[in-house]
Amino acid sequence: MIYIGMIFQYNTDNGTGLIMLSDGAQKTFTSDDWSDSENTACIGQKIAYIENENNIQVRVASEADINNTVEDKKEPKSVDEHLKHFIGLDFKLIKDTQNDGTRVMTLRSFAREESEEVIITHTDSKTTIVKKINGKIVS
């Protein structure tokens, strides 16, 4: 199973760290679990935490990891669960408005040298999510 999260503690001296997953769970990892040959582990990185029966791998999350993880999960039941999901991915709630029964939330993240924006629109029982990277719609 692939989880998306962020490194929020990492000790370079002994190679141990702590990850906060998007669902709020915390996982520990060591430099032996780090499987990314192009990047070194550091605090603030958005990562993919891959857990199999006897194996853990941690690496910088790719866009495919993020998209596959979101598609593999059941659709959240409420707009607040959507909000919690993106805040867990290090997005910040910038704007939350409600007008004539329509709630629109704008979230932004600048974590990977890119400007990411998510707009969640909820009307009655329908929720739509638009994601932009550097101003271009990606989903």
Side-chain angles (χ1 to χ4, degrees):
M1 178 68 111
I2 297 177
Y3 301 93
I4 301 300
M6 184 179 75
I7 298 173
F8 71 94
Q9 288 182 0
Y10 188 67
N11 183 329
T12 55
D13 294 334
N14 65 12
T16 60
L18 196 54
I19 297 169
M20 175 69 73
L21 300 179
S22 60
D23 65 359
Q26 293 182 13
K27 299 285 187 174
T28 59
F29 76 101
T30 68
S31 57
D32 292 337
D33 301 326
W34 189 256
S35 63
D36 192 330
S37 61
E38 295 179 19
N39 300 289
T40 57
C42 67
I43 294 173
Q45 278 177 322
K46 191 180 289 187
I47 56 89
Y49 182 90
I50 304 156
E51 187 174 44
N52 297 322
E53 287 182 26
N54 296 322
N55 187 21
I56 294 172
Q57 295 180 4
V58 181
R59 60 179 159 76
V60 172
S62 68
E63 196 65 36
D65 291 328
I66 294 167
N67 291 338
N68 288 339
T69 303
V70 172
E71 291 172 2
D72 289 345
K73 292 183 178 178
K74 284 186 175 180
E75 187 70 20
K77 295 180 182 178
S78 75
V79 70
D80 291 323
E81 288 176 314
H82 284 290
L83 180 62
K84 182 180 176 183
H85 168 78
F86 284 104
I87 288 174
L89 293 174
D90 204 29
F91 281 81
K92 305 292 184 221
L93 180 63
I94 303 299
K95 188 176 182 183
D96 187 351
T97 61
Q98 192 156 355
N99 190 12
D100 295 329
T102 300
R103 184 177 180 191
V104 179
M105 294 171 284
T106 304
L107 299 101
R108 293 197 180 118
S109 173
F110 302 97
R112 293 183 295 145
E113 298 178 11
E114 297 176 323
S115 169
E116 294 182 83
E117 182 175 77
V118 173
I119 300 169
I120 302 171
T121 305
H122 179 75
T123 304
D124 297 324
S125 62
K126 183 180 178 187
T127 301
T128 58
I129 299 173
V130 175
K131 186 173 179 185
K132 298 179 182 181
I133 296 178
N134 293 330
K136 295 182 182 179
I137 296 175
V138 292
S139 64

